[in-house]
Amino acid sequence: MSWSKLKQQLESFLSPALIGKVEYRATSYRYSPDKSGNCYITVDQKNILNMSDTTTPVRWYQTEQEIKNDPNLVIPVSEEEIEVIRQESKGNIPEDRLQIMARSRKISVHAKALLAAQAALSKSNFTVAATTYLSTSIEDNLESNDILYNILALMDRRVGKKRILNMSEQIKLKHSAVQYFYEIRRSSL
C-alpha cells in the first residue's frame, strides 16, 4: 500500500478532537534505495514519535536500570504477589520488606518488557505495522505489547470516552510514549 493511501486510512480513524492536532508524516529517499525512510507522528506540528530524535518529550530508556529508577513509573503490587514472597521466605521477612521485594520483582519483569517493546519499535517498519494495525481489532491493538499499536489505538475514534477514562491504571504500566499519547487523547475528551 502506498504511503498516501495508508496515511489517509490512518487519519480517517483519528478521533474528531485530534484531527489537525495529530498527524502522520513520512520522509523518503527517492534516490537511495537502501534507505527505507522515516515515519513519525506529530502533535501540534512537533515531532513526537521518532526514536532517532532526541528532542522529543517522550522518554526513551537506554537500560533496564533507568526504568527501575524512574520516579514517574508507578507499579502497583497486589496482596497475592506479596503472599507469594511471604510463602517463599517462610515468613522470615518483615512485612514492609515484603512489599519492596514484590515491587522489585514486578518492576524487573516490567523493565524487560518495556525495553523489548522499545527495541521492537526501533526496528519496526511503520508502514508494515500500520497496515497490520488497520487489519486487527481495536481490542487486540489496545492489549498488544507493541507500543505503536497501542498509540494508534489510543488515537482511534472507535475507542470511546468511557474506555479511555477506564484505562488510567492499565496505561501506567505502558511505555512513556503510550502514556504521552494517552494524556493527549484524555485531555481532548
Side-chain angles (χ1 to χ4, degrees):
M1 180 182 307
S2 70
W3 168 249
S4 59
K5 178 115 172 131
L6 181 62
K7 179 181 177 181
Q8 183 181 18
Q9 283 189 337
L10 286 172
E11 289 179 348
S12 73
F13 282 108
L14 266 179
S15 171
L18 299 176
I19 294 174
K21 182 178 177 95
V22 175
E23 294 180 73
Y24 304 106
R25 297 191 176 172
T27 58
S28 61
Y29 302 97
R30 176 184 284 180
Y31 300 110
S32 185
D34 60 329
K35 292 193 177 189
S36 60
N38 194 8
C39 295
Y40 49 95
I41 300 174
T42 62
V43 177
D44 295 327
Q45 307 292 318
K46 293 180 185 167
N47 186 0
I48 301 298
L49 187 68
N50 181 356
M51 289 193 57
S52 62
D53 186 2
T54 57
T55 63
T56 63
V58 173
R59 175 147 188 206
W60 298 107
Y61 299 105
Q62 303 302 315
T63 64
E64 187 177 326
Q65 203 61 35
E66 278 184 36
I67 298 170
K68 289 179 180 180
N69 294 331
D70 187 353
N72 298 325
L73 194 61
V74 178
I75 303 289
V77 179
S78 68
E79 282 298 318
E80 293 83 28
E81 292 163 333
I82 293 173
E83 187 59 36
V84 167
I85 294 176
R86 185 178 293 124
Q87 289 175 356
E88 287 175 0
S89 66
K90 298 180 176 96
N92 295 333
I93 299 175
E95 283 299 312
D96 58 333
R97 186 73 184 138
L98 287 173
Q99 185 167 4
I100 293 169
M101 290 173 69
R103 184 181 185 284
S104 178
R105 280 186 184 181
K106 195 168 182 180
I107 204 165
S108 289
V109 170
H110 183 66
K112 285 178 177 52
L114 277 181
L115 279 177
Q118 187 175 288
L121 178 63
S122 68
K123 295 175 185 173
S124 75
N125 182 340
F126 184 88
T127 55
V128 171
T131 305
T132 304
Y133 164 78
L134 290 170
S135 64
T136 308
S137 75
I138 199 74
E139 288 79 18
D140 290 345
N141 286 316
L142 285 170
E143 293 170 7
S144 172
N145 290 329
D146 192 299
I147 296 170
L148 191 54
Y149 294 157
N150 292 157
I151 291 170
L152 292 172
L154 285 171
M155 300 293 107
D156 201 306
R157 63 180 154 81
R158 297 173 288 176
V159 179
K161 179 179 180 178
K162 186 176 181 181
R163 183 184 259 177
I164 290 289
L165 294 175
N166 289 337
M167 294 175 75
S168 62
E169 289 300 313
Q170 179 185 351
I171 293 297
K172 289 179 183 176
L173 298 175
K174 298 285 186 176
H175 190 274
S176 60
V178 177
Q179 292 175 8
Y180 179 86
F181 282 95
Y182 173 76
E183 288 302 320
I184 288 172
R185 176 66 191 272
R186 197 176 73 166
S187 66
S188 71
L189 296 175

